[in-house]
């Protein structure tokens, strides 16, 4: 590989009359690290405080070329999948290594290196103003010693004019792009003359889950294969009773993704002292991925109007989002929770931090830190929307990142919950986590960061209040099992869904679970009166029809049982509304009142039927509906209020594809689905994305008539063969609204 030296630069005279040297003044560009490529070089030398041209007659050890041994080093460091390291993908491959693990560079001189008369110094610099005191300027002298967990360099072998040097980085090394320079030191008349060789290509140093001394060390090869190296995955959505998966292309090795992630860290304004610590880095990532307060990667939009951007439902991966942000330096429009999570997984994995996307169904959004979700209803049983600031999202997707937590008591390392979706501010910024998952389970919400908010998401009690005529509030019901269900992530073995609810909470209703709730309330807005009970001798259970497709009718069912020895009279109000997946209600589609008399020990069902024409035209993204119920027992004043939700199902895509394809040639496949509606669908489109494809593509199809099948025959060029651990990720599902 070739390497050129900086041209002589005139020094500047300081106030003390000495000629000073600006480090950046001789940091000119140089050729890339390409094998067997040698270019003419011009030496400069630094003598004392002066930059001078060397005497051509002097016998100076000159650098002919530098080989970063990219192919060998990247395989050893599990970084060979990055496109920027691949000569087939870029004209000038870059070296990407992981900290705490040695790598080799080979230097070709104009004559054999002689350690008796030639002194060499390897210089690594990061940031705009590198200084030794900040750890951003590191000088290494060749040594036979390998100091553990320290920067170092030693000669590995010498063959004539080629010297191979092994470089050691500490497991706490700053994660950044590092500039590489080589100093040849010559002694002359009790002075040292330094000839510096600047290399134009930076070296990328990442976190290292394979290094036991790294804070992100992850035991088990299968775990690292999934949570660091896997470019594809699944993100789960829907409701706890109707869960579907959305294939997602994380693409952490693709194109400009790693450069974008480094740019995110640089723009975050973090001090260099924490650039090697995954705790503040991951916290900063959750802030940088959203846009509200720091012009981050992605703008959130839950309005349903995406006309001036891209619908969150249209994204199928992170690569296009990150590359657009990196190219334009402007926030990308638009995202919702699963998009924020997908991008966060990509950024973490690209930097070497093990990460995964996690979906919490019936996810509470506590706006006041009370660790209860409060709903208010008027006398007639209708929701008082202007007072209901808390909500329960049908699902919410966040992330887990793996790291040790030396800042906490022993035992809280491992998976940490982090969330880039801008919901509530933390320390004045839209960020969330990292919070130890174990601490959340135990209700220890005082441990950093944001445990109180995340605990409420998975284990808050839902408290229902009735507004009396005099304006006071009456607690009518506490639902203790309505939040935090079917917490899911992709299984690392295959593409199946893994339920991790047990990692976040004890079994609902168990003594341990109730203790965790009370422990959490000690650090929140504890209200002991909430848990006082009156007479309750009628049992209630709100339910609805299952497996309902868009275009079908469904029933809202309240099952009641009188367990007393006396007659009971019930006044019941049922309502159905369309809603956003965030739990925000939208349009009422039907409501109905019922008067019911229950004999002693009797049971009955109170049923309201919602027809397709009731909700047609009012559905929001993801076709979610919210069902509310309020029932009061006249004799005892016992009240039951509840709210549940479900998702109307949509047809799955059916895909027919050949068993094999050929690199560089088109591969045809057939995509089809059946329109379940009694009306024609227009503007149908199929979007295809995956690792190894030339580009994500979107194919427009013809209109689809009522109850008819629609087919799309698509073709895609294969860019290169790339390993994947989610072989059936092309089993797509419809994810857009109708």
């Amino acid at each position: 590989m070739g390497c050129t030296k900086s041209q002589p630069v005139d020094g500047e005279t300081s106030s003390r009359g000495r000629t000073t040297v600006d480090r950046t003044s001789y940091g000119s560009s140089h050729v890339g690290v390409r094998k067997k490529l040698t270019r003419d070089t011009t030496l400069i030398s630094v003598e004392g405080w002066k930059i001078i041209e060397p005497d051509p007659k002097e016998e100076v050890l000159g650098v002919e070329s530098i080989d970063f041994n990219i192919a060998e080093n990247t395989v050893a460091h599990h970084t060979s999948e990055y496109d920027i390291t691949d000569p087939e993908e870029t004209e000038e491959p870059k070296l990407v290594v992981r900290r705490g693990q040695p790598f080799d560079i080979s230097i070709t001189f104009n004559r054999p290196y002689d350690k008796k008369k030639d002194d060499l110094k390897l210089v690594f610099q990061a940031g705009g103003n590198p200084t030794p005191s900040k750890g951003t300027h590191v000088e290494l002298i060749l040594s036979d010693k390998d100091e553990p967990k320290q920067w170092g360099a030693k000669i590995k072998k010498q063959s004539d004019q080629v010297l191979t040097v092994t470089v050691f980085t500490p497991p706490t090394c700053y994660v950044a792009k590092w500039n590489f320079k080589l100093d040849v030191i010559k002694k002359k008349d009790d002075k040292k003359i330094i000839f510096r060789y600047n290399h134009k290509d930076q070296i990328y140093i990442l976190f290292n889950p394979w290094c036991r001394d790294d804070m992100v060390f992850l035991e088990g090869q299968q775990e690292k294969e999934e949570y660091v190296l896997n470019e594809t995955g699944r993100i789960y959505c829907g409701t706890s009773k109707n869960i579907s998966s959305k294939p997602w292309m994380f693409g952490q090795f693709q194109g400009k993704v790693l450069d974008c992630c480094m740019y995110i860290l640089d723009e975050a304004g973090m001090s260099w002292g924490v650039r090697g610590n995954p705790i503040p880095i991951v916290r900063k990532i959750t802030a940088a991925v959203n846009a509200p307060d720091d012009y981050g990667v992605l703008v959130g939009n839950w309005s349903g109007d995406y006309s001036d951007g891209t619908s969150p439902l249209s994204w199928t991966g992170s690569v296009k989002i990150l590359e657009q942000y990196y190219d334009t330096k402007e926030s990308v429009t638009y995202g919702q929770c699963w998009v924020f999570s997908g991008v966060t997984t990509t950024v973490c994995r690209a930097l070497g931090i093990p990460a995964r996307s996690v979906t919490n169904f019936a996810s509470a959004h506590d706006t006041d830190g009370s660790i209860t979700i409060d709903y208010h209803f008027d006398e007639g049983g209708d929701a008082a929307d202007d007072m209901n600031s808390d909500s329960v999202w049908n699902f919410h997707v966040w992330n887990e990142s793996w790291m040790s937590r030396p800042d906490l008591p022993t035992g809280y390392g491992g998976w940490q919950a982090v969330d880039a979706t801008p919901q509530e501010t933390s320390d004045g910024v839209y960020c969330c986590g990292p919070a130890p998952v174990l601490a959340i389970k135990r209700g220890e919400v005082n441990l950093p960061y944001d445990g109180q908010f995340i605990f409420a998401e998975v284990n808050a009690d839902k408290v229902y209040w009735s507004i009396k005529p005099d304006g006071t509030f009456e607690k009518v019901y506490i639902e203790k099992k309505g939040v935090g269900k079917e917490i899911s992530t992709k299984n690392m073995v295959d593409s199946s869904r893994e339920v991790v609810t047990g990692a976040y909470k004890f079994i609902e209703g168990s003594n341990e679970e109730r203790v965790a709730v009370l422990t959490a309330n000690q650090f929140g807005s504890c209200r002991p009166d909430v848990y006082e009970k009156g007479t309750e001798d009628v049992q209630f259970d709100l339910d609805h029809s299952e497996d309902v497709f868009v275009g079908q009718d469904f029933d809202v069912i309240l099952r009641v049982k009188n367990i007393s020895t006396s007659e009971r009279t019930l006044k019941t109000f049922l309502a159905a509304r369309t809603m956003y997946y965030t739990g925000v209600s939208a349009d009422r589609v039907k409501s109905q009142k019922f008067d019911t008399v229950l004999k002693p020990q009797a049971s009955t069902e109170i049923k309201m039927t919602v027809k397709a024409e009731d909700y047609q035209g009012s559905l929001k993204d993801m076709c979610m509906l919210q069902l509310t119920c309020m029932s009061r027992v006249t004799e005892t004043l016992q009240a039951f209020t509840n709210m549940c939700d479900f998702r109307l199902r949509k047809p799955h895509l059916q895909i027919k594809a050949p068993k094999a394809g050929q690199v560089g040639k088109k591969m045809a496949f057939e995509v089809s689905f059946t329109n379940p509606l009694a009306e024609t669908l227009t503007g149908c489109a199929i979007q295809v994305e995956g690792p190894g494809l030339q580009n994500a593509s979107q194919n427009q199809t013809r209109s689809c008539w009522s109850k008819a099948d629609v087919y799309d025959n698509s073709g895609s060029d294969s860019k290169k063969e790339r390993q994947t651990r989610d072989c059936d990720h092309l089993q797509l599902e419809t994810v857009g609204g109708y």
Side-chain angles (χ1 to χ4, degrees), residues 372-392:
T372 58
I373 305 303
D374 299 296
Y375 292 109
H376 304 85
F377 294 81
D378 59 28
E379 281 190 286
D382 204 3
D385 291 334
D386 58 333
M387 302 187 67
N388 294 334
S389 58
D390 292 344
S391 62
V392 176

Side-chain angles (χ1 to χ4, degrees), residues 227-297:
Y227 304 127
V228 181
L229 300 179
N230 197 352
E231 284 193 276
T232 61
R234 292 181 178 274
I235 297 178
Y236 296 93
C237 54
T239 69
S240 60
K241 295 183 179 180
N242 184 9
I243 297 173
S244 61
S245 65
K246 178 180 176 65
W248 195 265
M249 218 276 280
F250 299 116
Q252 64 267 29
F253 303 129
Q254 301 269 318
K256 304 174 185 176
V257 168
L258 181 56
D259 280 309
C260 179
C261 296
M262 290 294 186
Y263 172 78
I264 288 172
L265 292 187
D266 292 340
E267 288 296 300
M270 304 175 67
S271 66
W272 279 103
V274 297
R275 278 289 287 264
N277 188 335
I279 300 171
I281 284 182
V282 167
R283 183 164 174 79
K284 184 61 71 172
I285 288 172
T286 67
V289 168
N290 64 65
D293 44 27
D294 51 11
Y295 305 101
V297 176

Side-chain angles (χ1 to χ4, degrees), residues 54-60 186:
D55 185 345
K57 298 180 181 180
E58 286 187 292
E59 185 183 355
V60 178
K186 183 177 179 62

Side-chain angles (χ1 to χ4, degrees), residues 59-65 105-122 140-144 153-165 182-186 197:
E59 185 183 355
V60 178
L61 182 68
V63 176
E64 298 293 337
S65 64
I105 61 175
S106 298
I107 309 165
T108 301
F109 297 103
N110 59 352
R111 62 169 173 79
Y113 164 78
D114 186 349
K115 65 179 181 180
K116 293 182 179 179
K117 63 178 183 180
D118 298 319
D119 288 335
L120 297 179
K121 186 188 300 179
L122 280 66
L140 306 178
I141 298 175
L142 295 179
S143 171
D144 293 332
K154 72 174 184 179
I155 297 175
K156 182 177 182 180
K157 64 179 180 179
Q158 182 174 3
S159 177
D160 196 20
Q161 296 173 221
V162 179
L163 183 70
T164 301
V165 177
L182 180 65
D183 288 351
V184 177
I185 304 171
K186 183 177 179 62
Y197 304 83

Side-chain angles (χ1 to χ4, degrees), residues 563-725:
I563 59 175
S564 74
T565 57
S566 303
E567 188 176 89
R568 294 290 182 251
T569 304
L570 278 62
K571 292 186 177 295
T572 303
F573 176 82
L574 297 178
R577 292 185 174 193
T578 57
M579 66 180 294
Y580 299 96
Y581 86 94
T582 58
V584 176
S585 59
D587 305 319
R588 178 182 292 180
V589 297
K590 188 171 184 178
S591 63
Q592 193 171 347
K593 294 182 178 181
F594 302 85
D595 291 318
T596 308
V597 176
L598 273 179
K599 299 294 183 181
Q601 304 297 315
S603 301
T604 191
E605 289 185 350
I606 302 171
K607 182 183 297 184
M608 179 181 72
T609 299
V610 180
K611 296 187 175 296
E613 53 264 31
D614 293 331
Y615 61 76
Q616 208 77 50
S618 298
L619 293 176
K620 308 304 177 185
D621 294 345
M622 298 195 175
C623 304
M624 301 284 189
L625 288 115
Q626 182 185 74
L627 312 177
T628 59
C629 163
M630 184 170 183
S631 186
R632 185 178 294 274
V633 181
T634 304
E635 291 80 6
T636 64
L637 299 182
Q638 176 188 352
F640 172 79
T641 305
N642 202 353
M643 185 180 297
C644 68
D645 51 71
F646 77 107
R647 181 186 184 191
L648 295 172
R649 296 186 61 184
K650 293 173 285 185
H652 296 302
L653 295 179
Q654 302 297 322
I655 297 180
K656 294 182 180 180
K659 294 183 179 179
Q662 187 172 348
V663 175
K665 293 188 176 181
K666 286 188 176 182
M667 182 175 69
F669 54 92
E670 182 183 273
V671 183
S672 64
F673 73 95
T674 300
N675 177 11
L677 302 183
E679 57 186 273
T680 301
L681 299 179
T682 59
C684 301
I686 303 294
Q687 182 156 328
V688 181
E689 184 174 2
L693 299 182
Q694 287 283 9
N695 289 296
S697 62
Q698 186 178 76
N699 294 352
Q700 294 295 132
T701 68
R702 61 176 173 80
S703 298
C704 179
W705 291 275
S706 172
K707 309 301 181 184
D709 295 332
V710 61
Y711 296 91
D712 178 74
N713 293 308
S714 300
S716 181
D717 290 325
S718 177
K719 179 175 65 173
K720 59 182 265 190
E721 293 178 302
R722 185 185 292 275
Q723 290 184 344
T724 178
R725 298 157 191 85

